[in-house]
Amino acid sequence: MNEFVEAPAAPKETTRQEESLKHRLIGTSVPRTEDERLLRGDGRFTDDVQFAHQLEMAVGRCPFPHARILSIDVSRALELEGVKHVLTGEQVREQSAPLTVLRPVPGAPQLPYYALAQDKATYEGQPVVSVVAVSRALAEDAIELIEIEYEPLPHVSDAIAALEEGAPLLHPQSLASNLLASNGDRAGEPEARIEAADVVLRSRMRIGRVTPLPMETRGVVAVWRPGARELSIHTSTQVPHLVRKQLAESLRIGEECIRVSASDVGGGFGMKLGVYPEDVLASLHAMALRRPVKWIEDRMEHFRASTHGRESIHDYCLAADAEGRFVAMTNTYTTDIGGWNSPFGSSQLSSVIFTGPYRVADAAVERRVAMTNKTPVGAYRGYGQPEVNFALEVLVDRLARKLGKDPLALRELNMLRPEDLPWTVPSGAVYDSGDYLRTLRMAAEAVDYAAHRASPRVPRPDGRILGIGLSSFVERTGYASARFLANRGSKFGAHESVTLRANRSGTIDLYTGVSSIGQSSETAFAQICAEVLGVDFDAVRVHSGDTASSPLNTGAFASRTLIAAAGALREAALPFRDKTLRLGAWALGIAPEEAVIEGYEVRHRDDADKRVPLSDVFSRAILGQGIPHDETPGLETTAHFEPPSAAFSFGTAAAVVAVDPETGEFSVERFVMVHDCGVAVNPMIVEGQVRGALVQGLGAALGEELRYDAVTGQLLSGSMLDYAVPRAADVPPIELLHTEVPSPVTTFGVRGVGEVGTIPPGAAIANALCDALADYGVEFSALPITPESVWRALQAARESTQGAAA
Amino acid sequence: MKAADFLYHRAGSVAEAVTLLDEYAGEARLLAGGQSLMPMLNMRLWRLGALIDVNQVPGLDGIEAEGEGDLEETRIGALTRYVSLERSEVVASRLPLLAEMVRHIGDRQVRNRGTLGGSLVQGDPTAEMPLGCLVLGARVRVESGRGSREIAMGEFYDGSYAAALEFDEMVTEIRFPRHPSHFAFSELTRRHGDFCVLSVAVTGECDSDGCWHDLRIGLGGVSDMPVPAEAASARLSGTRLTDDDIREAAALTVEDIDPPSDMRATAEYRTHLVPVHVRRALQQLRARASATELLTRTRENR
């Protein structure tokens, strides 16, 4: 089933076949360039970087959710042989500025988040001291010898409780309450429409806290050469240029002194977006010691020290008329940002796409960002979209049950049609193009929805009952524009950039600030560049993630890289191609219009004997010898490109579950995903991206949960023993189907694809369980959904039935 | 997550290992598969004086069939890896319950390293091997400088993660009596190979007239150690395992459990699940027995 489905003829749409006729490389599943080195064990992750005289850093962290630091005594640690340097909060305050924020919550004050806690710590795991020693084990020994006197303070772990009167305040110097900021968008008169509606459903939906959990934890190696005034940073990041900017701000040195490079990054998922305390600490130690300092986050630290994701509480209201037409939606939601702000803050996209793929004019959304005594929350693949999709899509099914309608028919009734697009949704976003309904029908057909709908919900011989659940979605990919970002105070652009440089071997070096985080940008960039130039795919070599060699860019996040980079690649490749043709034609004594680039040479369009190798053409350019008098030497182009608007991906998922009504145990027997990311540059990569994100979405739906003890405020699931991330054997069978509606707002019609799989699993599974257990009348309002939560939902349904009977 | 310094000894014999244990007076641990010990050291949850590696001690592993008929016994060396149990023809034919349960342990990497003796000494209340050994009536042989003794599995634990061993004692082998004729196993986990929410192992003998006796029901993950459900077993003795017998017996199991609430499940949910899983395991036991009987009769008729 994992093939790309060809679309029937329809306006605004081209099939993949037509696309591949137009293109030589775009649309083909070129094997990944990255695979060779990764599969051979030749990847170069942060811990693979080793320097002579390198030292190792360990960090001492606050064991309490909220505590005043009364005293720190480092004397015994310093006496330990092999310990080289210790930093405390006081020194950090003298030597650095607080960490800056890249995507501030609009209206939020800047919090004084230093790399080490000052007078108090506001989350379990916040760095309090750091030690550098000749080995990591020794540095950890030294941490154990540091005596820190804490005064535990009252704490608050629940985001709703944090906003109540009398809750312990986290940052009284900066904030009068634990509300970091709130903001909203609205259109029409939702309250009046709700008042007049035939049916109004309201529900509080809780989305659990999870961790992005990349295979490579964070890490940094800092090297300071004082004579050269050069701080060289190797780090596992999605955004080398933004790390450079933030480090310059915290270390109070010029950006010209800092070089940041990320070679292979073992997954980011939004968690590696910008500077963390340990990056500043390693730099300070390296600058003090004049020796390379390495810190590799261990998995225990990762669960507390790297940003978490998702946790939010949505008070969603869906109003409809008696036929089931949606007349208004409102969503007031609270996101839990934890103990400090993080580079990207908590999810912001719940506000943008909260009305889903549906036609509704009257709607309002309000977002409240609450501070709690937990690890800061940052971006995580999906960034608010899985959360609000769960709230809305579960309510859509609940409405269908209430009205006695088919959930599929209810979605059909309300979905935006291709001819409605472009469509401005109540949040102000503009959906560019798409055929949402078609993905819904394809998903339904794939699981034989109609036949299932007509059959009764009776147990199979194994005692389990089958259910099918749908979830439709629209996903924002990329950013609307730099102006849009400026309005929200974001400290980065919406563009991407590349530099193309000819070399004497006749191949092209492509430089990008986008680091290679598993998203296959090296392969996709080379495909596009080679496509435009006409050269072989292998003639383009991509160099990723080094600020010293790449043009200033934004980075690998928000499903935005290709959306912007496709344009930059094209804009850089066109003048590169033209100059190559001019120089090649001059060498051949023909007119540039007669010349074409093919493989590794320039040749005459019609005369195969007239040919010159690219190595010759490029050497002429590099030497400035044998070129026309009016040409400048060199062959190098750089382009920065900002797309005119965000592109919106879309689709529908269908989950088939089998549930045991006696125990609540269930399994997802099939998961069908119909998805459109516009023109797929490399269908194999698209499939890998969708599949990988689906697994993360299924994990968060079915078991992953960072739970904090209600009394002590301690993280209960802070290790791989307790955190139930799915492993290969736990992933249900996934079937992928795609449509390809090109986006009118991007180069080549691409849409983003990196995050989409995280969006629909929660709602699709909840809806499937409700369908299977229709005779019991269960409801789900929280993620994750475990066998125990199904059993509890069954108990609640029984109690309410008995209550009603009594 | 780097262990603090410790001394490392590689013991060449049981005598050397137990002498070292005695010398360290409780500050040393034996390293067998290391699947629980090493993570605890790396997480600095434990700080030890020394590790005594017994992986090179000759004769500590191996699976041997001994005796015949009612005197049949199977001896498994403490250092025998899970993977050896999984692949052993002796275990498959003489201890089929253990062969079935061992496949539920961890993942392939864990089973390549982890050992039967290590699992018993670790005493994780959710682990498969302690439950299997309990239900099969195994006895654990331990050695020390003071001599050797055998401990019945039913008396092997003082509490959770607490094997009833003196600090100078070392488990050397586990001896199993003749395997019951019929068995069934049921386990609920959040993920493949995860620590269980609960597990149930049942065994029994069925007379030619269809009456059951010597039923044993063991429960894992629902107390601080694997526990026998004795009231339920007694209720079933002499019955034909009718649905009513099974239902009533299963209901009695809640008296034998003291389930924890943790990330995997609450005590309340486990309490609900235990009778259900016991009932289903017993139904499976009954179904397997009648299938076996049918097979025997068919053979006889030929």
Side-chain angles (χ1 to χ4, degrees):
Chain A
M1 290 287 272
N2 299 330
E3 77 276 23
F4 276 64
V5 170
E6 278 164 24
K12 295 185 185 179
E13 188 167 357
T14 45
T15 64
R16 195 168 79 76
Q17 215 164 32
E18 283 162 2
E19 283 297 329
S20 49
L21 285 178
K22 279 202 317 214
H23 298 303
R24 184 169 50 92
L25 286 165
I26 293 175
T28 59
S29 291
V30 178
R32 284 173 15 113
T33 312
E34 297 90 337
D35 286 342
E36 178 94 7
R37 66 173 187 271
L38 294 177
L39 296 177
R40 284 176 183 276
D42 272 346
R44 189 161 174 261
F45 300 93
T46 302
D47 204 11
D48 295 317
V49 176
Q50 294 281 1
F51 287 96
H53 312 296
Q54 175 184 293
L55 299 168
E56 302 231 18
M57 180 176 95
V59 178
R61 301 173 184 281
C62 181
F64 302 103
H66 198 190
R68 195 171 302 288
I69 298 159
L70 301 177
S71 68
I72 302 178
D73 180 356
V74 302
S75 54
R76 284 179 66 211
L78 283 170
E79 284 164 15
L80 197 63
E81 196 184 332
V83 171
K84 300 294 180 186
H85 195 228
V86 178
L87 280 173
T88 61
E90 198 178 336
Q91 290 152 297
V92 161
R93 190 174 61 240
E94 287 161 8
Q95 296 166 22
S96 67
L99 273 59
T100 56
V101 173
L102 291 167
R103 195 165 193 219
V105 177
Q110 170 84 44
L111 301 175
Y113 187 17
Y114 282 92
L116 290 177
Q118 299 296 309
D119 57 329
K120 67 170 192 168
T122 56
Y123 66 93
E124 177 196 346
Q126 183 172 351
V128 178
V129 289
S130 64
V131 174
V132 164
V134 294
S135 76
R136 174 65 180 252
L138 196 70
E140 290 186 20
D141 288 346
I143 294 286
E144 291 184 357
L145 292 175
I146 295 175
E147 284 168 28
I148 305 171
E149 199 183 342
Y150 291 103
E151 178 198 344
L153 297 171
H155 62 271
V156 59
S157 346
D158 181 76
I160 299 294
L163 297 183
E164 282 166 5
E165 196 88 8
L169 290 184
L170 271 75
H171 300 291
Q173 271 98 15
S174 310
L175 288 167
S177 73
N178 291 321
L179 181 68
L180 181 63
S182 69
N183 50 34
D185 287 305
R186 59 186 300 118
E189 300 286 338
E191 291 80 8
R193 301 297 304 267
I194 289 168
E195 187 81 16
D198 296 319
V199 198
V200 179
L201 286 180
R202 294 175 199 273
S203 184
R204 170 163 285 191
M205 304 288 195
R206 283 186 174 269
I207 315 297
R209 180 177 272 244
V210 294
T211 166
L213 213 69
M215 294 243 275
E216 187 196 19
T217 55
R218 284 187 297 122
V220 59
V221 187
V223 186
W224 172 244
R225 286 197 300 149
R229 275 196 73 71
E230 185 200 63
L231 178 68
S232 175
I233 300 285
H234 290 264
T235 185
S236 187
T237 183
Q238 299 169 243
V239 286
H241 280 284
L242 297 178
V243 167
R244 183 184 188 222
K245 167 198 132 62
Q246 285 188 284
L247 267 185
E249 289 161 349
S250 274
L251 298 172
R252 297 188 293 230
I253 58 177
E255 280 191 51
E256 78 282 358
C257 301
I258 303 176
R259 173 183 180 179
V260 176
S261 45
S263 47
D264 284 312
V265 176
F269 312 123
M271 192 219 85
K272 293 176 182 169
L273 286 180
V275 156
Y276 278 87
E278 296 84 358
D279 304 325
V280 174
L281 295 173
S283 300
L284 290 176
H285 283 298
M287 291 168 93
L289 293 166
R290 304 182 175 194
R291 281 178 71 172
V293 171
K294 177 187 276 188
W295 173 75
I296 300 296
E297 182 185 54
D298 69 38
R299 194 57 76 179
M300 298 293 283
E301 289 184 293
H302 179 78
F303 273 101
R304 292 158 182 85
S306 283
T307 52
H308 295 166
R310 300 269 185 271
E311 185 168 14
S312 52
I313 301 100
H314 297 252
D315 288 328
Y316 208 105
C317 174
L318 172 62
D321 68 15
E323 301 301 308
R325 272 183 208 89
F326 302 161
V327 297
M329 298 177 187
T330 62
N331 183 21
T332 302
Y333 70 103
T334 304
T335 62
D336 178 347
I337 200 169
W340 289 98
N341 212 339
S342 66
F344 266 68
S346 58
S347 310
Q348 301 203 23
L349 291 185
S350 289
S351 295
V352 175
I353 51 92
F354 76 103
T355 51
Y358 304 113
R359 175 200 294 273
V360 63
D362 301 86
V365 62
E366 190 190 339
R367 170 172 182 260
R368 297 174 186 160
V369 182
M371 309 219 57
T372 62
N373 293 112
K374 293 186 288 192
T375 296
V377 162
Y380 177 30
R381 205 173 190 176
Y383 199 49
Q385 303 183 96
E387 295 91 312
V388 76
N389 177 265
F390 178 78
L392 172 58
E393 287 295 295
V394 165
L395 274 188
V396 168
D397 267 42
R398 222 176 269 180
L399 178 68
R401 287 194 294 277
K402 181 146 188 153
L403 293 173
K405 290 192 181 288
D406 180 346
L408 173 71
L410 197 64
R411 286 181 174 80
E412 282 181 336
L413 178 68
N414 286 289
M415 260 184 189
L416 289 160
R417 301 297 197 266
E419 57 272 24
D420 296 330
L421 273 45
W423 174 270
T424 304
V425 289
S427 67
V430 183
Y431 290 177
D432 54 334
S433 71
D435 190 343
Y436 306 157
L437 207 53
R438 194 160 144 250
T439 65
L440 175 66
R441 289 176 178 158
M442 283 169 68
E445 194 172 311
V447 294
D448 209 358
Y449 183 89
H452 171 77
R453 188 81 196 149
S455 62
R457 303 289 171 267
V458 289
R460 300 189 302 202
D462 67 357
R464 296 197 169 195
I465 308 173
L466 271 186
I468 294 182
L470 301 167
S471 173
S472 295
F473 56 88
V474 173
E475 181 206 13
R476 197 189 81 185
T477 67
Y479 288 106
S481 64
R483 205 164 21 143
F484 164 85
L485 288 168
N487 287 340
R488 284 168 156 71
S490 296
K491 305 287 189 250
F492 53 87
H495 70 279
E496 260 314 315
S497 59
V498 292
T499 292
L500 303 181
R501 185 185 294 162
N503 66 48
R504 293 179 186 84
S505 302
T507 58
I508 299 109
D509 291 299
L510 190 165
Y511 296 91
T512 169
V514 171
S515 47
S516 193
I517 63 169
Q519 84 282 42
S520 317
S521 51
E522 288 175 38
T523 306
F525 283 20
Q527 275 182 269
I528 292 173
C529 181
E531 175 81 54
V532 178
L533 292 178
V535 299
D536 265 17
F537 172 75
D538 290 333
V540 181
R541 173 63 186 254
V542 178
H543 305 272
S544 292
D546 185 346
T547 61
S549 58
S550 59
L552 266 163
N553 77 326
T554 305
F557 58 93
S559 295
R560 58 166 299 282
T561 302
L562 197 69
I563 286 179
L569 287 159
R570 189 169 177 277
E571 299 304 316
L574 287 174
F576 189 103
R577 181 188 70 186
D578 292 346
K579 187 167 182 181
T580 304
L581 288 171
R582 290 199 305 276
L583 301 190
W586 198 80
L588 292 170
I590 61 174
E593 303 79 52
E594 296 172 307
V596 291
I597 303 172
E598 219 174 79
Y600 291 87
E601 57 189 24
V602 177
R603 64 174 186 81
H604 190 285
R605 199 174 50 204
D606 306 316
D607 183 354
D609 289 340
K610 288 186 179 163
R611 55 172 67 191
V612 56
L614 284 177
S615 55
D616 185 342
V617 177
F618 289 174
S619 293
R620 286 163 186 256
I622 290 163
L623 298 172
Q625 299 171 1
I627 60 172
H629 300 300
D630 56 350
E631 291 282 0
T632 52
L635 181 45
E636 181 171 322
T637 55
T638 295
H640 293 256
F641 181 84
E642 181 183 309
S645 183
F648 288 79
S649 294
F650 56 90
T652 300
V656 181
V657 304
V659 57
D660 181 331
E662 190 176 14
T663 62
E665 292 168 63
F666 67 97
S667 54
V668 180
E669 303 207 330
R670 291 177 68 190
F671 197 92
V672 173
M673 175 82 164
V674 188
H675 171 246
D676 190 303
C677 64
V679 173
V681 171
N682 185 321
M684 181 180 68
I685 293 173
V686 164
E687 182 165 320
Q689 285 288 308
V690 177
R691 202 171 274 275
L694 275 172
V695 172
Q696 286 188 309
L698 289 161
L702 297 174
E704 290 185 41
E705 185 184 9
L706 290 170
R707 194 188 299 165
Y708 285 77
D709 187 273
V711 177
T712 65
Q714 304 278 329
L715 180 58
L716 294 173
S717 47
S719 83
M720 289 297 214
L721 293 176
D722 290 310
Y723 188 78
V725 64
R727 295 177 285 219
D730 305 305
V731 178
I734 294 170
E735 299 156 50
L736 301 181
L737 298 166
H738 298 258
T739 66
E740 284 200 18
V741 180
S743 168
V745 300
T746 61
T747 314
F748 306 115
V750 298
R751 303 175 198 272
V753 69
E755 305 177 69
V756 68
T758 59
I759 297 175
I765 289 164
N767 290 340
L769 287 165
C770 289
D771 174 56
L773 300 172
D775 297 341
Y776 298 80
V778 301
E779 307 274 19
F780 295 97
S781 305
L783 286 179
I785 298 173
T786 62
E788 177 160 358
S789 47
V790 175
W791 174 70
R792 289 189 181 279
L794 282 160
Q795 297 281 93
R798 279 191 197 105
E799 275 161 27
S800 78
T801 319
Q802 281 162 5
Chain B
M1 260 177 52
K2 302 285 181 202
D5 277 355
F6 53 81
L7 287 169
Y8 172 88
H9 297 276
R10 180 180 291 157
S13 66
V14 171
E16 188 184 349
V18 296
T19 305
L20 284 164
L21 279 175
D22 190 36
E23 281 171 13
Y24 279 97
E27 293 300 307
R29 286 292 179 281
L30 298 178
L31 174 65
Q35 297 303 291
S36 302
L37 182 56
M38 292 318 295
M40 284 166 75
L41 291 181
N42 284 339
M43 290 189 229
R44 295 186 175 232
L45 297 173
W46 251 11
R47 196 183 260 265
L48 290 179
L51 273 190
I52 302 161
D53 186 345
V54 294
N55 282 278
Q56 312 277 319
V57 174
L60 264 188
D61 60 356
I63 302 163
E64 284 145 37
E66 295 174 358
E68 275 176 35
D70 286 344
L71 296 177
E72 174 187 312
E73 277 206 325
T74 311
R75 172 205 168 272
I76 302 183
L79 199 62
T80 305
R81 319 256 170 211
Y82 301 132
V83 66
S84 305
L85 301 178
E86 203 176 338
R87 291 177 183 167
S88 159
E89 283 180 25
V90 177
V91 174
S93 63
R94 291 172 72 113
L95 300 170
L97 173 62
L98 211 61
E100 182 174 332
M101 290 176 79
V102 77
R103 292 184 170 80
H104 292 262
I105 298 174
D107 50 31
R108 180 60 64 199
Q109 289 91 325
V110 168
R111 295 202 293 276
N112 281 340
R113 294 293 309 162
T115 67
L116 177 60
S119 173
L120 297 190
V121 174
Q122 172 70 8
D124 187 315
T126 68
E128 287 81 2
M129 290 298 98
L131 175 64
C133 292
L134 173 76
V135 171
L136 293 177
R139 296 187 318 284
V140 183
R141 185 165 194 82
V142 302
E143 305 265 353
S144 72
R146 297 171 286 120
S148 67
R149 61 177 177 137
E150 273 193 3
I151 309 173
M153 266 312 289
E155 288 152 19
F156 192 67
Y157 295 112
D158 291 334
S160 76
Y161 300 97
L165 294 177
E166 302 300 326
F167 66 74
D168 61 344
E169 285 183 319
M170 166 181 178
V171 172
T172 53
E173 66 180 40
I174 297 91
R175 303 188 75 87
F176 296 84
R178 186 187 152 111
H179 194 277
S181 305
H182 305 293
F183 67 94
F185 175 65
S186 160
E187 181 176 270
L188 175 63
T189 56
R190 295 183 304 174
R191 299 175 291 169
H192 288 268
D194 202 349
F195 301 94
C196 73
V197 172
L198 85 165
S199 53
V200 178
V202 296
T203 62
E205 304 292 341
C206 183
D207 289 342
S208 53
D209 63 359
C211 283
W212 285 79
H213 56 91
D214 287 326
L215 281 136
R216 296 179 71 104
I217 302 170
L219 307 170
V222 288
S223 192
D224 56 358
M225 61 185 92
V227 288
E230 276 162 7
S233 303
R235 166 66 184 81
L236 293 170
S237 192
T239 72
R240 293 174 179 274
L241 290 194
T242 65
D243 283 347
D244 283 344
D245 295 329
I246 287 176
R247 198 177 317 106
E248 284 174 27
L252 295 174
T253 54
V254 290
E255 290 166 20
D256 296 306
I257 62 174
D258 180 17
S261 283
D262 56 28
M263 277 306 294
R264 296 185 281 277
T266 62
E268 195 186 357
Y269 184 46
R270 284 186 165 105
T271 305
H272 167 75
L273 289 177
V274 165
V276 178
H277 276 260
V278 168
R279 192 187 78 218
R280 291 178 183 182
L282 288 168
Q283 283 165 342
Q284 197 191 352
L285 183 78
R286 185 180 64 191
R288 281 183 174 184
S290 56
T292 315
E293 196 202 0
L294 196 66
L295 196 69
T296 318
R297 256 195 247 147
T298 316
R299 280 196 191 129
E300 279 167 5
N301 290 346
R302 267 186 214 146

